[in-house]
Amino acid sequence: KKLAYDLRQAVPGLVAVLGAAIDGKPQLAVILDDELAKAGKLNATTLVRELAKEIQGGGGGQPFFATAGGKNAAGLGAAISKAEALVGQGLG
């Protein structure tokens, strides 16, 4: 969470999807620039819930920051690839 918030303050227009296996359990975090979230182009909660399917999990949060956990760490790569496609559609 700290890394996500630090990035958000340092990078204008930020869209970040972070994934890691912590103690063998997959974790995802999505953080967005306030303006993107307010404009409704992207929603971190919607995005993280869709990505969590790839790690057999679920999550939630706020329009600008959301997290998810799951059971399938092997799905992290697929979740990140899916994020690239979904973010591209949302900003396109």
Side-chain angles (χ1 to χ4, degrees):
K1 184 175 178 177
K2 181 180 177 350
L3 174 61
Y5 276 88
D6 287 348
L7 283 169
R8 188 168 182 248
Q9 288 190 344
V11 181
L14 178 73
V15 176
V17 178
L18 307 173
I22 300 171
D23 295 327
K25 297 188 180 198
Q27 302 288 317
L28 293 167
V30 176
I31 193 152
L32 307 175
D33 175 79
D34 270 338
E35 295 306 313
L36 286 173
K38 287 177 186 174
K41 292 181 179 181
L42 293 172
N43 181 298
T45 300
T46 303
L47 189 54
V48 86
R49 286 183 179 156
E50 186 61 32
L51 300 177
K53 294 175 184 177
E54 301 297 328
I55 60 169
Q56 296 175 352
Q62 301 170 45
F64 70 91
F65 180 69
T67 60
K71 301 174 189 172
N72 179 21
L76 281 169
I80 298 299
S81 293
K82 189 176 201 177
E84 291 174 355
L86 292 173
V87 168
Q89 290 173 3
L91 294 177

